[in-house]
Amino acid sequence: MIGLPYVAVAATMEAVNEGNLAVPPVDGKTVVYTDTEGTASFGWLDPVNDFGNVGLGIKVYNEPFTAQQTYDFAGCLMAQPDRAPGDNCTAPPDSGKRFKLKTTETNGPIDIVVDVSADDSVSLYRVIGKFSNLTDASNSVGGDLNAIRFELGFGVGSEFMRSSVGDGLGFGFADGAKLSIGPVGKYPGGLFGGSKVEGLPFFSTEVAPFTESLATADDGDVLETNGTIATQYSSLFGDWQTLSETPTGWFIDHDGNPANDSILLAYNAGTASTPDWQTFEKVFVTEVDTDDDGIADLFPPLWDPNSTEFDPAVADDVGPIVDTLGEGDAEDTVPDAISLNQSSAADLYVADYNNTGEGFKVLIDGEAVAIDAFAEWANKPVTVIDADNSNELVATWNPETELYDIAQAYTGTYGSTVTLTEMLDISGPPDSVSGLVRQPGYTQGPIEDLANVNINPTVSVGAAANWPTCTGDGTVTNCTFTFRVTGLNDAVEEPTIPVTPVEPEPEEPVAAPSSGGGTIFGCTAGKPGAPFDPVLPGLVLMALGGLWARKRLSNA
């Protein structure tokens, strides 16, 4: 039960079942099929973790931990960073702990099946994932979504059966309400509300959360958000945009390494043909009284990279600033340490900001990084230079091909292009003084996180022996349940879930009409008084082999 000490034996989520997954990945995707035959798919998992290792992209960890100093969890369902035991479920934010599930079909359910060892006790598991809108931008509403539905049940695709009251499966009730650690869904903190790891927010100081619908609030087996996108997001972008339609951003790659996250500087509020580059200046207030005792105890100018009071030793940890915003101050009792002032990128990013002789500075990893004038960004891409040869240009990063284009003087050594991994192996960071050196620069691309939502439901498992998916030998009972996720928009017609194909039963062999003079290939097995045909077993094996091969191909 929630909040109770652990017991020695509990219903345990053992592993993610691979029956309806593409294993190994297909074209770099762990495709989630609508059935175990690989008939169709409405989405996929990213199989590559943040360390570059390939797996399923999702894993169960049985690592007990306590969340919010209140809720005892037996483990979690998350990505597979495979850190040391005990360090996975409790890994810090922005550490690659969220599995990355992509929906490619509006209203198309995606079924994740989990193996469970059964008994009558109850265990809580936290779900730590990211759900991305990759739906078709050509549909009637442009691929936009406006809600998420989570369901628990048994079976997959057209055979899915939702869980019911009293069967030991549910979305973790706590004091009569479903349990999630933070909002059940929200847009990333680096854009809205801030994050101690992702940094200070770009678009809004407030979190952009998803809220459960009243229609499912009392149903322990389904959790559906209310169809309303938070105004922090919708006032700028409308409904939840598909990746191909997210606005383009200008980013600074401050360390010359395209493998990690670049910092968003501006976004195109116009069109590709008529761009309108906008940004949000962070304005730091003078002082904040965080404990309401009448005495200021937080001094935001210490974090302000454009202030004479800026202190890199303090600014390396943005936690105190984030704690005054959004989730850090959920009851809104502390004044925000920053506000955001929207302006055009060309007006903010100038060569001489406030007569300082430098460009406007942004806070990156505790450092005050001066930004070039907006008009210069297109002329300063991410590059690699040869520090031993008058800083001659060696390569330029191409974000479209995700390759380095090699300068002509160096093609004889490296060829015409070099992969990111290869270049990182042969070049050094910007502070290197010899050899090939990576250079910071500016790059354009989609603001991918505008298509992504962090999801945080909780699943409780118990009394699993009563589930319809259980099998046992009288001693051990093994079961499965399904965690179903669907990206919703009521304006779009629901897709048809393909019916699992049924292989025809093999027909009884029919003896060739014969008076005893048939060929040697005539099937005589089963004919009263006839001798056994030695060819038949080989034919049967060949037929079964063909069925197996067709099934394998359908899963490819």
Side-chain angles (χ1 to χ4, degrees), residues 196 303 312-321 366:
K196 295 179 181 180
W303 283 263
V314 173
D316 188 50
D317 177 15
V318 297
I321 302 294

Side-chain angles (χ1 to χ4, degrees), residues 214-359:
L214 292 176
T216 65
D218 295 328
D219 190 332
D221 301 295
V222 58
L223 194 167
E224 183 174 321
T225 61
N226 62 11
T228 300
I229 300 298
T231 57
Q232 293 83 359
Y233 182 104
S234 62
S235 62
L236 294 170
F237 308 111
D239 277 348
W240 174 6
Q241 295 191 329
T242 186
L243 177 60
S244 62
E245 297 296 309
T246 56
T248 300
W250 266 115
F251 302 82
I252 181 171
D253 189 330
H254 63 289
D255 59 2
N257 180 4
N260 55 25
D261 289 337
S262 299
I263 306 301
L264 179 61
L265 297 177
Y267 76 103
N268 186 5
T271 64
S273 59
T274 310
D276 177 17
W277 292 102
Q278 295 286 307
T279 190
F280 290 87
E281 178 185 1
K282 295 174 179 61
V283 180
F284 294 76
V285 303
T286 303
E287 56 186 33
V288 178
D289 178 7
T290 63
D291 53 11
D292 197 26
D293 64 354
I295 301 173
D297 53 2
L298 180 67
F299 301 94
L302 297 173
W303 283 263
D304 184 355
N306 295 288
S307 169
T308 57
E309 298 179 57
F310 176 71
D311 185 346
V314 173
D316 188 50
D317 177 15
V318 297
I321 302 294
V322 172
D323 282 342
T324 70
L325 311 173
E327 286 181 275
D329 181 29
E331 297 179 359
D332 198 23
T333 58
V334 179
D336 289 353
I338 62 171
S339 60
L340 301 178
N341 179 34
Q342 186 171 0
S343 68
S344 74
D347 289 341
L348 181 63
Y349 300 112
V350 294
D352 185 12
Y353 176 74
N354 279 354
N355 299 315
T356 60
E358 294 183 290

Side-chain angles (χ1 to χ4, degrees), residues 36 150 226 255 284 354 363 408 420 439:
T36 57
F150 304 103
N226 62 11
D255 59 2
F284 294 76
N354 279 354
L363 180 64
Q408 186 173 0
L420 172 59
Q439 295 296 286

Side-chain angles (χ1 to χ4, degrees), residues 115-176:
D115 294 330
V116 174
S117 59
D119 62 50
D120 291 335
S121 56
V122 178
S123 297
L124 281 178
Y125 286 83
R126 185 181 174 196
V127 177
I128 308 172
K130 179 177 290 184
F131 191 53
S132 302
N133 181 4
L134 271 59
T135 55
D136 186 356
S138 67
N139 70 30
S140 61
V141 291
D144 293 344
L145 303 177
N146 53 37
I148 319 170
R149 180 190 298 133
F150 304 103
E151 297 171 87
L152 295 173
F154 311 100
V156 298
S158 59
E159 298 178 358
F160 176 79
M161 178 178 63
R162 188 183 290 173
S163 175
S164 59
V165 175
D167 63 6
L169 185 63
F171 279 116
F173 280 82
D175 299 328

